[in-house]
Every structure is written in C-alpha cells, then in structure tokens.
Amino acid sequence: MKTKLALSVVSVATLLALAACGGGGDDGGSKNPTTPPTTPTAPQDPTSVPPATSAPAATYPSEDQRLAAYDALNAVRLKLGVGALKQDAVLDIAADKHLNYMKLNGQLTHLEAADKPGFTGVTPYDQVVAAGGTKDQWIGQVASGAGGIDGKDCANGMKRTVYHLQGITSNQETVGISVRDNYCVINFGIVTGAKGGGYGLAQWGDSRWRLMPSRTTLLTMIQWLALLPRLPSRPTPRQI
C-alpha cells in the first residue's frame, strides 16, 4: 500500500514538472507565429499595347498637307484594326530635315551620308535622336517623291504595294510627317517595351514584332489589295 502511494506521488510530481517546463503543453508561442516580411514586387513596364481606337487631334494646320497624310494614314489603319497613330512633333522635325536632305541631294533614300549637304544622321533612328528624340524607341520610315505629290497621295500611295502596306500598318504607335516640294517622308516610332532602340520596325520580321496581326486583320488586308485594280488609274510616286 505504501509502495502504491509513493508511486502515485511520484507520478503527480512528474506531471507537474512537465507542465511547468512546457512538456506536453502549449506555452502560448504558437498562437502568434512570426511571418517573415515580404518584399513588394516592383511594377513592370508593359511590353505591348492594344491597337489604339483613337488618337489626340494632330496640331497640323487645317490646310497643311501633313494633316491630309495623317488623316489618310489613320483612316486605313483604323479600317484594318491595327490602331491609330499619335503625332510626335520630334518625328515631324526629323522627317522634315530628312526631306530637306533628299531635296538638296536629289535622292530618294532612307540613309544619309555625312559628307553631303543637309546631313543630320545616317539612319532614320539617328535622324530622330539628332532632332531631340529619345534613344529608347524603334524608328521606321517610308518616303516617296514625284511631281505634284500631296499629303493624301503620299499616304494612299503607300497602300498600293504589299511591301509598303505592311510598312504603314505594323505595330507603330507614333508618327511624324513632312510633305513639301514633291517629296514626302513619314517617320514611325515604337516606344512601349522598347528597352533600347534603333532603326527598323516589325515589318522586317525580327524580335521587335510584338503585335502580330490577327487573322481578321490579314484577311482585311487581302480584301483591300483585291480592290486595288479597281481604283482609278494614276501615276504611282517613287517610294522607298
């Protein structure tokens, strides 16, 4: 009897000791676990944008041939679903300076030579940077020259060939135009997701292609081209 009582006393003492040191119990520490701090994720710049359904009004005067080219260009882009272009004043300046280069040298070209009159930059990208444009953009350019060319002729003439139709309906976002003295120059820019820059847009088929035309857009372009023979016949200006 004494032995059983002694064992009971020992058992109770052991349980009390365990409870005091936390063995078999809860010390309360697990009720409020410590959560490690999280580092906020930095916002990422977009790599592409959907086609714009509208653009801010251009600043060209109402009778300016640049406005005629701008309106004609955006009309075809909206019809094809590839988005309206926004006027960029720096691209305007670069286009006009390059037009002056072509006029002074009697050439229809995208590239300039440093030893010739009117030189501003070798490539259209260099010409835009020289005019004050950001280096973080991709630049494309189309140009034409012929007697009696006006702004509407300039833009509409570009859609009469597959090469130039693609060139004016790619994933451009901005545009700058110069039309005078029987020459026309249109500069295009891509800024979104550029992360650098240079000469060339998506129509050259490289890694800068981020907005592939949809099947509907391609079909619309084919339908547009099918209508071209029915358009009134008129001389097509030289284009590059």
Side-chain angles (χ1 to χ4, degrees):
M1 184 68 180
K2 290 181 180 180
T3 301
K4 291 181 179 180
L5 181 60
L7 288 172
S8 298
V9 171
V10 171
S11 298
V12 171
T14 301
L15 289 172
L16 290 173
L18 287 171
C21 71
D26 186 354
D27 64 359
S30 62
K31 293 180 179 178
N32 298 295
T34 302
T35 302
T38 57
T39 304
T41 303
Q44 300 294 314
D45 293 331
T47 57
S48 64
V49 292
T53 56
S54 63
T59 61
Y60 308 122
S62 59
E63 300 301 320
D64 196 314
Q65 290 302 315
R66 293 174 298 172
L67 181 62
Y70 177 82
D71 288 343
L73 182 60
N74 270 342
V76 68
R77 287 182 60 89
L78 288 171
K79 186 171 183 178
L80 294 177
V82 295
L85 299 175
K86 180 174 64 175
Q87 179 193 7
D88 184 320
V90 175
L91 297 189
D92 285 332
I93 294 170
D96 193 63
K97 288 182 178 296
H98 182 61
L99 185 152
N100 186 61
Y101 174 90
M102 293 195 302
K103 178 185 174 183
L104 290 174
N105 294 284
Q107 289 182 298
L108 191 60
T109 178
H110 297 303
L111 305 180
E112 298 182 5
D115 61 346
K116 291 189 176 181
F119 172 81
T120 59
V122 175
T123 70
Y125 171 78
D126 298 325
Q127 296 155 23
V128 169
V129 172
T134 175
K135 293 183 177 180
D136 292 326
Q137 61 179 325
W138 293 98
I139 300 297
Q141 184 184 89
V142 294
S144 64
I149 189 172
D150 61 20
K152 189 174 181 179
D153 288 336
C154 173
N156 287 337
M158 295 297 173
K159 67 189 182 188
R160 294 175 182 268
T161 67
V162 175
Y163 178 79
H164 288 103
L165 177 60
Q166 183 186 19
I168 65 173
T169 58
S170 186
N171 59 335
Q172 301 101 315
E173 299 169 325
T174 56
V175 64
I177 304 170
S178 181
V179 184
R180 61 182 175 88
D181 302 324
N182 297 326
Y183 286 97
C184 172
V185 176
I186 304 178
N187 283 333
F188 299 105
I190 297 177
V191 178
T192 303
K195 297 182 179 179
Y199 172 41
L201 296 181
Q203 59 261 36
W204 277 276
D206 61 14
S207 60
R208 294 187 287 280
W209 185 275
R210 291 183 299 278
L211 185 61
M212 292 291 291
S214 66
R215 180 175 179 271
T216 301
T217 297
L218 289 174
L219 288 175
T220 305
M221 292 176 71
I222 292 170
Q223 292 167 358
W224 182 275
L225 287 170
L227 292 174
L228 291 183
R230 304 175 193 174
L231 294 175
S233 176
R234 62 181 304 166
T236 300
R238 294 172 56 216
Q239 302 167 342
I240 57 171

